Structure formats: structure tokens, C-alpha cells
Amino acid sequence: MNRIQKLFEQIAGVYQAETQRWAVAQEIFTAPRMDVSALQKPACWRRKARIYGARR
């Protein structure tokens, strides 16, 4: 069965390198996205306070 599948892929023009590129693309684009729960808080609340004062 694998032999028939490989023969069909060669006839149809689907090569091993193309299937490998497809697998790599699937791995990249189906990777979990970044966690956006931290972005629910406004940016001004996430930043550290800047304290400006006279130097002694």
C-alpha cells in the first residue's frame, strides 16, 4: 500500500521535500500563541512607577 501511495505522489507531483516543508509549516503555525491574559491590565498599571526627585 505504501508503494502505491509513493507512486501516486510521484505521479501527482507531491515529493518528499514538499511534504517535509508542509510538516514544518504545520508545526510553526499550529504552535500555541502567547498568553495574552497579562495584557488585560492597562499598560499604565503594568509599568513600574518612575520616581523623579532631587538627587542628594
Side-chain angles (χ1 to χ4, degrees):
M1 189 64 170
N2 288 338
R3 189 171 166 192
I4 295 171
Q5 180 68 31
K6 286 182 182 182
L7 180 62
F8 175 75
E9 288 175 355
Q10 287 178 348
I11 292 170
V14 180
Y15 296 104
Q16 183 73 20
E18 187 173 341
T19 56
Q20 287 176 347
R21 281 184 289 169
W22 176 258
V24 170
Q26 287 292 335
E27 185 177 321
I28 291 170
F29 291 111
T30 58
R33 303 282 182 187
M34 63 180 255
D35 183 26
V36 294
S37 64
L39 299 176
Q40 298 300 320
K41 190 186 300 184
C44 59
W45 293 354
R46 291 191 308 249
R47 289 189 204 113
K48 293 182 178 180
R50 295 182 186 171
I51 302 173
Y52 295 105
R55 292 187 177 182
R56 296 182 188 203

